[in-house]
Structures are given as structure tokens and as C-alpha cells.
Amino acid sequence: MKAAPFAYVRPGRLDDVLGELAGGDGKVLAGGQSLVPVLAMRLGRPGTLVDITAVPELTAAGPEQDGYRIGAAVRQRAVEHDRSARAVPLIGMAMPFVGHRELRSRGTVCGSLAHADPAAELPAVACCAQATVELAGPAGRRRMPAEEFVTGAMTTAAGPEDVVVAVTFPHARPGEGFGFAEIARRHGDFALAGVVTRVRVGDDGAVTEARLTGFGISDRAVTRDVTPLLTEHEDDLRPATAALADEVVDTGGDTHGSTGYRRRLFGVLAARELSRALHRARDRKERS
Ligand SMILES: Cc1cc2nc3c(=O)[nH]c(=O)nc-3n(C[C@@H](O)[C@H](O)[C@H](O)COP(=O)(O)OP(=O)(O)OC[C@H]3O[C@@H](n4cnc5c(N)ncnc54)[C@H](O)[C@@H]3O)c2cc1C
């Protein structure tokens, strides 16, 4: 199909982007990798596409005091190639699974968050890493945890006149280890089920913090504090992660896999990636 007619603008200033979005009939265009198919299928009919890629404030990524900050117009491929992004190991672990290289050369990190596909990797990484999303809108600027930003399948806390300005991922801290895995029908497809893990250990190697985020398993990425689970069941995590899967996996099933199948995938991946993150955390602690 062809998209319904729309106007296209490419402002050079954030204020002008907000001006174009005022009234709620505009739609932000970042990399277009999700929006353009939506338009082509006529699932959306915005009056104006507001291309944000010419706004200098949105085109930078790099280390800042709070962590690694990624402007809204920064392509996924640019982040993948940025050496300073290695301070956030989860980004490098997840990025090769975000579609294909060609998609990542146009798609943006913030666009993936704003699109909020429940099976997308980057919103899950943002939730597990406790990233912060910055928004600008008619009421000014605000910041919120990624977990609060994504409110459901393809829905976020951003209003129709808001723009995501940037996302900041905290740098890895001493004693932290990470895990990431997903199962998809083919490499580059959205995940049938996936997990992201982050574990922190103290000087004695004991677990002080453990977070687990599942994606492709519900209407959004689901994050749990699993510190007690990991502490109590370190020797064999599988029964505990299988029980957790019963609690958090809630897809209703689809043509690609039943709820039971996804629960099994989630439980196995969660046990494996928690264990890996724990070993990596202890390795890093020993080497520091
Ligand atoms: C064939 C195919 C396979 C894919 N596979 C995967 C995959 O495996 N994993 C995955 O995660 N993704 C996948 N994607 C989607 C992916 O390519 C993008 O990462 C992402 O969803 C959109 O990023 P974008 O910059 O292209 O956003 P766009 O397409 O430009 O925008 C997407 C949505 O977000 C809104 N938006 C974008 N930026 C902002 C902003 N700064 N402020 C407010 N709203 C904004 C837009 O208005 C639109 O509603 C796939 C896409 C295709 C076409």
C-alpha cells in the first residue's frame, strides 16, 4: 500500500520541532524503520512528519557525568561503533540482535524506545540498566526512568506533542556483570522471548543486587529485582526461574509460539543469563 498524503518538515532547532508538533497532528520521524511501514500500511495518518535528524542537539552521543547519553537522532549503528559505548556492556551485547545492520544504519536508539515494541531489545536493555529518558514538550523538559516511560505495547508516557530528546544509560560499576540472550526464528527477527540481566557483587563475591528484564513475553519489557532469587538458588536457578516465568510471561500465545513455549524459553534463558552475569561480576571484581 501507499501512505496517505502528509507534509514533511525538517527543522533545525528543537523549539521548531515542538512548534510543528503543537496541535497533535504531527509525528516525529527519526530513522523511519518502524514509522514508514506503519504509514505504508495506513495504520497511522499523521498530517505532518517532523524529521528530527537536523537538530544538532539531538545528534550527539557520548559519556557524561550520569552515564552514556544518546541523542534522539543518533543511529543505532553509530552507537554500535562508538568505543565510549563500551562503558555500557549491555548495549554492545544487545545491538547485534536489533534487526539487521541495514536497519540499524537508519534506526535510532530513542526511536526504538519511543516505538515501544514489546519484543524489542533496546527498551528491555534500558529498563534493566535503569536508563533515564529525557523528554521535551509543551510543559517543558522532564526526565523519567525507562521503566516508567514504556507503559504498554507501542505506548509510552510521551504525549503527541512530546519529543524524546535523549536516553542515558548508567556506566557499568565495579563488581557488575551482565547477560543478554534471545531466541528468534531467524537472526534479526524480533525475539520470541529474551532476557537481560545485571548482577552486582560485593568485595566478598556475595550478590548485592540482581535485576532481570524479560522481553517478547508480555505487553512490554518486564523487570524484576531477583536479588533474593539469585542469592538463595545460585546452585540451581532453573526451578526458581521456571516459577518466575509462570508469573511474568503473559503473551496469550500467537502463531509463533504458545504461552507455555515462551515460559519454557524464558525460564531457561533467565537461569543461564543470571548465572553468566554472576560469573562475569565475580571475574570483574577479582580483576579490579
Ligand atoms: C524488517 C524489520 C525488522 C526489525 N527488527 C527489529 C528487531 O529485531 N528488534 C528491534 O528492536 N527493532 C526491530 N525493528 C524496528 C527497528 O528497526 C527500529 O529500531 C525502531 O523501532 C525504530 O527506530 P527509528 O529511529 O527508525 O524510529 P521511527 O521509525 O522513525 O519511529 C518509530 C516511532 O517512534 C516515534 N519516535 C521516534 N523517535 C522519536 C522521538 N525522538 N520522540 C518521540 N517519538 C519518536 C515515531 O513517531 C514513531 O511512532 C525492525 C524493523 C523492520 C522494518
Side-chain angles (χ1 to χ4, degrees), residues 161-207:
E161 299 178 58
D162 288 333
V163 184
V164 175
V165 172
V167 58
T168 302
F169 292 81
H171 292 140
R173 296 171 295 176
E176 273 189 335
F178 304 90
F180 177 94
E182 71 173 47
I183 301 290
R185 292 172 69 224
R186 296 169 304 192
H187 182 80
D189 281 4
F190 280 103
L192 288 170
V195 297
V196 190
T197 58
R198 180 162 69 83
V199 173
R200 191 171 192 205
V201 297
D203 289 338
D204 58 358
V207 176

Side-chain angles (χ1 to χ4, degrees), residues 169-262:
F169 292 81
H171 292 140
R173 296 171 295 176
E176 273 189 335
F178 304 90
F180 177 94
E182 71 173 47
I183 301 290
R185 292 172 69 224
R186 296 169 304 192
H187 182 80
D189 281 4
F190 280 103
L192 288 170
V195 297
V196 190
T197 58
R198 180 162 69 83
V199 173
R200 191 171 192 205
V201 297
D203 289 338
D204 58 358
V207 176
T208 56
E209 188 187 353
R211 277 168 74 86
L212 169 74
T213 302
F215 58 101
I217 56 155
S218 187
D219 70 339
R220 72 195 86 169
V222 179
T223 303
R224 290 283 183 274
D225 176 351
V226 288
T227 315
L229 184 153
L230 185 54
T231 310
E232 288 163 29
H233 304 284
E234 183 188 329
D235 291 340
D236 184 3
L237 290 163
R238 287 169 301 176
T241 56
L244 182 65
D246 289 342
E247 185 195 318
V248 300
V249 178
D250 177 25
T251 61
D254 55 34
T255 52
H256 302 304
S258 64
T259 305
Y261 178 58
R262 283 193 164 90

Side-chain angles (χ1 to χ4, degrees), residues 27-35 52 72 76 97-99 103 107-108 111-112 114-115 120-121 162-164 188-190:
K27 197 93 182 128
V28 171
L29 174 70
Q33 298 306 295
S34 295
L35 181 57
I52 58 169
Q76 293 158 2
F97 295 90
V98 182
L103 292 161
T108 63
S112 178
H115 189 60
E121 293 80 6
D162 288 333
V163 184
V164 175
D189 281 4
F190 280 103

